[in-house]
Amino acid sequence: MPQALWLLESSPEPPDEDAYVALFHLCEWRRAADAGMRACEHADASHPTFGLRLGNAMLSMLVRFGESWHAWGVFAKMPDRDVFSWNIMVGGYGKAGFLEEALDLYHRMLWAGVRPDVYTFPCVLRTCGGVPDLRMGREVHAHVLRFGFGVEVDVLNALVTMYAKCGDVGAARKVFDGMALTDCISWNAMIAGHFENHEHEAGLELFLNMLENEVQPNLMTITSVTVASGLLSDLEFAKEMHALAVKRGFATDVAFCNSLIQMYTSLGRMGEACTIFSRMETRDAMSWTAMISGYEKNGFPDKALEMYALMEVNNVSPDDVTVASALAACASLGRVDVGIKLHEIATSKGFIRYIVVANALLEMYAKSKHIDKAIEVFKYMPEKDVISWSSMIAGFCFNHKCFEALFCFRHMLADVKPNSVTFIAALAACAATGSLRYGKEIHAHVLRRGLASEGYVPNALLDLYVKCGQTGYAWAQFSAHGEKDVVSWNIMLAGFVAHGHGDIALSFFDEMLETGEHPDEVTFVALLCGCSRAGMVSQGWELFHRMTEEYSIVPNLKHYACMVDLLSRVGRLTEAYDFINRMPITPDAAVWGALLNGCRIHRHTELGELAAKFVLELEPNDAGYHVLLSDLYADAGKWAEVARVRKTMREKGLEQDYGCSWVEVKGDIHAFLTDDESHPQMKEISAVLHSIYERMKASGFDPVESYSLEDKEVSKDDVLCGHSERLAVAFGLINTTPGTSIFVTKNQYTCHSCHGILRMISKIVRREITVRDTKEFHHFRDGSCSCGGSG
């Protein structure tokens, strides 16, 4: 080769065409790309045009080397082209991924009057399947029949593959069934076509017909069927496939072993998959990836990362699927440290341009509470699919940035059609912010897309209406949803409890049981919470015992916290304390916090201090528990202890208030932060509140409940509440017509002072005001509240 190239470049006269053709064939045969390109440059310099033989030889070599652009230059200098020339270009462009260009070349070939041959159609049909372009594929099918190639096995096999790739498996099967002569490739194409279109049972049935017709399956057949059999949840059939492969001598092939691993991981049989992996003499990147992906999808993310670490130790280079699977495991475990290293690998190897990797990065950063990093990845993605947008919207929700989630959803609508997952995330954002009007718009989108009964969408809609206080809409949604699951019932139960209707929740639970629905842990958390708020002790005990005795549900910490809260609220504090001491599991902060809250309500300082000791050991930086202790001391008149607690909070930086309330007016959400005066209508809001306070004072109601502490007036409610809901209600009063109900959502609890003020406002302005805080709904009307509190 070097001597031939030296002779070519040192010769004073260019060699004849035969010499060039021989040299190009030699370079192609030996895969000598550098020498071939040098020979091309020499030929290009010495020939203004290329003859048919020389041009075809150059085209064949250049396409083999993936030099599509140089091949186009040679093709352009060929005054004469035959069907071979066109076939090389069409096939070359298709293999290089220039699918639209390949189809355009095919049309140009027909316009040039060149008759396609048996090699043309497989190239063109593969390209149609790759786009995929069913309309074009059907047109080429017509050409196949017109030019008389309707009986050629290779062409018909390509037709079967094209139709399957384009999603028309019925047309593919029609072509297959009409073939007079079939080979193993025909059967493989049709079987794979069924599998690719999620018709696994039809594919396996065809495979059994293949065996009955005594057509010998090859490695590709067995591999394809093995992977698909894992998706049918039929372990016995999967084992039969394993045995058949061993019998036919495929058991040592790496590709087949990889398919076996995929099959067993799909069935959740990680033990068998691990055994196959450990016995493999040779493993490739796909082997490791199959194990990593299998562990991650079967709920063992820690094992997935261990396997990835072993892959690195064995110096096996990961591919894009490996990185994506490992990132999914990082997302589950919150291992942002490993995720950052995988991000660096993805960037260095160019995997970041693959959408599956970018999407995995989005999810990893979002679930690891690094939403800024997720935004950065999303921003620089060259293309975004529905998974990208859905991950971003769900990521914003997960990081308590629900307004950003809705903003993202609005932008998505201009580019990508949302799916059910997208709608679920967007509806969750609406529910969290109380965005009823926008939630209804999304509901309309759901109906137009025909997704109202898909997956979790019905429950997401139900959750929206429940959390927005729209009990009528919620009941209509619940009634319209035919196939209710336990989640549907739980959402409604939680809604009744949040609205203070514990008695209705119990009746609804009885109705749930009558339908045959089996309650779960969440059901009993809602029911016990309802009993607690309604003071129904005997009903609470009965439910607690039924949970274990009738439904074999082992109580968790939430159930115990509900029972402690139930006993504490009604003043049975000693019984609640004894109950905690008898718990078979170690109580958490919520359990002790429930007792502390009960001691605050009933002013039992000694037991409250004991509960506070435990709760603050478990949650030393929780502002809410410090406030409960402060309130306990304040109610007992122990101002020195109040000062001590507040000093501790200041030292720990726990007095910083992040209170925020939202109100929806004319379809727009307005947010109000504590002590934030940036709203353009703040002067009007302050004036309205001042006027209301004056009217309250005139009627004998002091809107601020203060205590003298070290010669300073300090409101105990100011410690945590922030009073942001007052601003939201005042804004609603200004910007809505008289008589309009006002719905406010708050990210903290409603203090006694705000509760009393809102109760009075509802009486003064004769409006219904609903506040949904972190604990419950408060429906204020004519000076009273649904929770029964007096403020």
Side-chain angles (χ1 to χ4, degrees):
M1 178 69 72
Q3 290 180 340
L5 197 60
W6 178 80
L7 286 172
L8 175 69
E9 294 177 336
S10 61
S11 175
E13 296 292 331
D16 59 20
E17 187 174 282
D18 289 339
Y20 272 120
V21 170
L23 180 58
F24 289 134
H25 286 326
L26 181 62
C27 289
E28 181 181 355
W29 177 61
R30 292 195 173 181
R31 303 288 195 276
D34 291 339
M37 294 306 297
R38 285 169 60 185
C40 273
E41 290 176 7
H42 193 279
D44 190 45
S46 57
H47 289 76
T49 60
F50 297 122
L52 188 61
R53 286 184 64 244
L54 176 58
N56 283 348
M58 293 176 73
L59 288 177
S60 179
M61 181 195 71
L62 289 170
V63 167
R64 179 65 60 86
F65 294 156
E67 295 287 345
S68 302
W69 180 248
H70 286 93
W72 177 253
V74 172
F75 190 73
K77 289 180 66 173
M78 293 174 64
D80 297 316
R81 303 158 184 154
D82 60 7
V83 67
F84 181 78
S85 317
W86 289 95
N87 285 350
I88 290 174
M89 291 302 295
V90 172
Y93 269 77
K95 288 180 181 177
F98 303 115
L99 305 181
E100 300 290 348
E101 290 81 355
L103 294 179
D104 182 62
L105 275 172
Y106 170 69
H107 281 116
R108 291 192 181 196
M109 171 184 173
L110 296 179
W111 294 335
V114 178
R115 180 186 175 86
D117 64 9
V118 71
Y119 301 105
T120 310
F121 289 112
C123 294
V124 178
L125 289 166
R126 275 196 302 270
T127 305
C128 292
V131 173
D133 188 339
L134 181 59
R135 183 195 60 79
M136 180 63 184
R138 287 171 175 164
E139 182 181 326
V140 176
H141 191 174
H143 295 173
V144 167
L145 300 176
R146 183 191 308 164
F147 289 107
F149 293 101
V151 294
E152 294 289 340
V153 174
D154 291 340
V155 175
L156 293 175
N157 289 347
L159 274 170
V160 171
T161 301
M162 181 276 295
Y163 278 122
K165 295 285 185 185
C166 291
D168 193 347
V169 70
R173 188 61 186 261
K174 188 175 181 180
V175 172
F176 177 80
D177 290 340
M179 292 175 66
L181 181 64
T182 58
D183 56 14
C184 187
I185 296 173
S186 316
W187 289 88
N188 286 351
M190 194 62 246
I191 291 169
H194 281 299
F195 294 154
E196 289 169 6
N197 287 276
H198 310 292
E199 296 183 358
H200 301 105
E201 292 183 359
L204 293 178
E205 184 180 348
L206 187 62
F207 170 68
L208 296 176
N209 290 342
M210 178 182 184
L211 297 179
E212 290 176 4
N213 283 272
E214 298 183 351
V215 179
Q216 295 301 313
N218 60 14
L219 178 61
M220 183 178 293
T221 322
I222 296 295
T223 301
S224 176
V225 174
T226 299
V227 173
S229 64
L231 303 175
L232 284 177
S233 301
D234 189 340
L235 181 61
E236 292 304 316
F237 184 83
K239 288 182 175 180
E240 288 180 15
M241 283 303 307
H242 191 168
L244 177 65
V246 172
K247 182 179 179 181
R248 293 183 178 267
F250 298 128
T252 57
D253 184 87
V254 174
F256 173 70
C257 288
N258 292 343
S259 70
L260 272 180
I261 293 173
Q262 291 181 55
M263 177 186 75
Y264 281 120
T265 57
S266 296
L267 293 166
R269 311 286 292 193
M270 290 306 303
E272 287 88 338
C274 193
T275 299
I276 293 165
F277 180 81
S278 63
R279 291 177 179 175
M280 292 175 67
E281 295 181 2
T282 305
R283 306 183 186 107
D284 58 12
M286 190 175 291
S287 315
W288 291 91
T289 302
M291 288 299 297
I292 294 168
S293 176
Y295 276 126
E296 188 275 322
K297 290 179 179 176
N298 282 284
F300 302 104
D302 50 341
K303 292 285 187 182
L305 291 187
E306 287 177 15
M307 185 62 68
Y308 176 75
L310 283 174
M311 182 180 181
E312 285 187 322
V313 170
N314 283 270
N315 296 317
V316 180
S317 182
D319 60 16
D320 56 314
V321 180
T322 319
V323 172
S325 299
L327 283 168
C330 291
S332 299
L333 296 170
R335 291 292 303 275
V336 71
D337 54 334
V338 180
I340 289 172
K341 292 178 181 177
L342 287 164
H343 190 172
E344 293 170 356
I345 292 172
T347 302
S348 64
K349 291 182 174 292
F351 297 154
I352 198 74
R353 69 180 185 272
Y354 296 123
I355 201 164
V356 64
V357 175
N359 287 344
L361 274 170
L362 282 180
E363 184 180 17
M364 185 275 295
Y365 280 128
K367 287 188 175 179
S368 301
K369 301 296 182 71
H370 287 71
I371 191 65
D372 292 339
K373 287 279 190 182
I375 293 170
E376 187 179 339
V377 172
F378 185 77
K379 181 180 178 181
Y380 290 104
M381 287 175 68
E383 60 176 296
K384 305 173 182 72
D385 62 6
V386 67
I387 297 174
S388 317
W389 287 96
S390 300
S391 297
M392 204 65 235
I393 295 166
F396 278 127
C397 289
F398 185 77
N399 287 272
H400 309 294
K401 294 181 178 291
C402 294
F403 291 113
E404 289 86 343
L406 294 178
F407 182 79
C408 187
F409 178 75
R410 285 186 185 274
H411 275 265
M412 174 189 181
L413 294 176
D415 298 319
V416 179
K417 286 185 177 180
N419 61 13
S420 60
V421 177
T422 324
F423 284 126
I424 289 166
L427 287 167
C430 291
T433 56
S435 306
L436 177 61
R437 183 168 176 178
Y438 196 24
K440 287 181 177 179
E441 289 180 18
I442 294 174
H443 192 172
H445 280 294
V446 168
L447 293 172
R448 283 194 292 270
R449 293 290 310 280
L451 300 174
S453 60
E454 183 172 315
Y456 190 78
V457 172
N459 289 335
L461 287 165
L462 186 61
D463 187 57
L464 165 75
Y465 291 125
V466 165
K467 288 183 177 175
C468 287
Q470 299 294 311
T471 52
Y473 283 112
W475 184 254
Q477 172 65 22
F478 181 80
S479 301
H481 182 31
E483 297 181 6
K484 303 174 185 67
D485 57 10
V486 68
V487 177
S488 313
W489 291 90
N490 288 347
I491 292 171
M492 288 298 292
L493 279 170
F496 288 128
V497 170
H499 286 276
H501 303 309
D503 52 343
I504 298 177
L506 291 178
S507 299
F508 192 72
F509 175 63
D510 291 335
E511 185 180 336
M512 172 184 174
L513 297 179
E514 288 174 6
T515 65
E517 188 63 61
H518 195 80
D520 62 7
E521 296 177 354
V522 179
T523 313
F524 284 98
V525 169
L527 291 169
L528 292 173
C529 185
C531 291
S532 175
R533 291 180 182 176
M536 298 184 292
V537 179
S538 60
Q539 294 92 330
W541 274 119
E542 181 186 350
L543 286 167
F544 187 78
H545 292 306
R546 286 180 67 186
M547 176 175 63
T548 56
E549 294 168 4
E550 291 186 31
Y551 302 105
S552 303
I553 296 174
V554 178
N556 59 32
L557 286 168
K558 290 183 178 180
H559 299 115
Y560 285 111
C562 287
M563 287 303 299
V564 172
D565 188 54
L566 169 61
L567 295 170
S568 300
R569 279 176 183 263
V570 297
R572 294 159 69 165
L573 300 173
T574 304
E575 186 178 346
Y577 179 63
D578 292 339
F579 179 80
I580 293 174
N581 289 327
R582 294 196 307 271
M583 282 173 56
I585 54 179
T586 304
D588 64 355
V591 173
W592 288 111
L595 179 60
L596 174 59
N597 185 52
C599 292
R600 178 193 66 81
I601 294 171
H602 298 283
R603 303 191 178 189
H604 196 309
T605 308
E606 184 179 350
L607 185 56
E609 287 178 327
L610 179 62
K613 173 180 176 293
F614 285 108
V615 78
L616 293 178
E617 284 177 359
L618 294 167
E619 294 287 350
N621 296 317
D622 189 294
Y625 292 131
H626 282 83
V627 171
L628 276 179
L629 181 58
S630 175
D631 287 353
L632 175 73
Y633 286 135
D635 289 338
K638 295 187 175 184
W639 304 114
E641 294 300 324
V642 173
R644 181 182 61 79
V645 174
R646 286 177 58 79
K647 181 182 178 183
T648 301
M649 292 180 70
R650 283 194 297 272
E651 290 173 351
K652 292 184 175 183
L654 302 180
E655 285 197 294
Q656 181 66 41
D657 178 35
Y658 296 100
C660 183
S661 295
W662 306 276
V663 60
E664 185 177 43
V665 174
K666 298 175 183 177
D668 294 323
I669 300 295
H670 296 263
F672 294 89
L673 296 169
T674 301
D675 298 328
D676 180 11
E677 298 186 356
S678 62
H679 196 280
Q681 289 184 263
M682 188 53 68
K683 287 185 179 180
E684 297 173 67
I685 292 169
S686 299
V688 167
L689 286 176
H690 179 72
S691 174
I692 290 173
Y693 292 161
E694 290 299 319
R695 293 179 66 177
M696 288 182 183
K697 289 178 180 177
S699 66
F701 180 85
D702 186 355
V704 180
E705 190 177 316
S706 301
Y707 298 88
S708 176
L709 179 60
E710 298 177 347
D711 299 325
K712 295 181 181 180
E713 292 294 317
V714 179
S715 169
K716 67 170 185 176
D717 295 324
D718 286 331
V719 177
L720 191 63
C721 173
H723 313 322
S724 58
E725 65 267 51
R726 302 183 192 180
L727 303 175
V729 168
F731 177 82
L733 292 174
I734 295 169
N735 293 279
T736 57
T737 57
T740 305
S741 299
I742 297 172
F743 185 91
V744 174
T745 304
K746 191 179 181 188
N747 69 339
Q748 294 176 348
Y749 79 93
T750 303
C751 70
H752 292 294
S753 177
C754 285
H755 190 277
I757 289 172
L758 295 177
R759 185 172 56 81
M760 292 299 293
I761 290 175
S762 71
K763 184 176 182 179
I764 292 170
V765 301
R766 296 181 182 179
R767 297 254 206 138
E768 288 188 21
I769 300 170
T770 300
V771 176
R772 189 190 89 202
D773 63 17
T774 55
K775 291 183 177 180
E776 58 191 318
F777 281 87
H778 297 276
H779 299 285
F780 300 97
R781 183 178 182 181
D782 294 330
S784 62
C785 179
S786 59
C787 73
S790 63

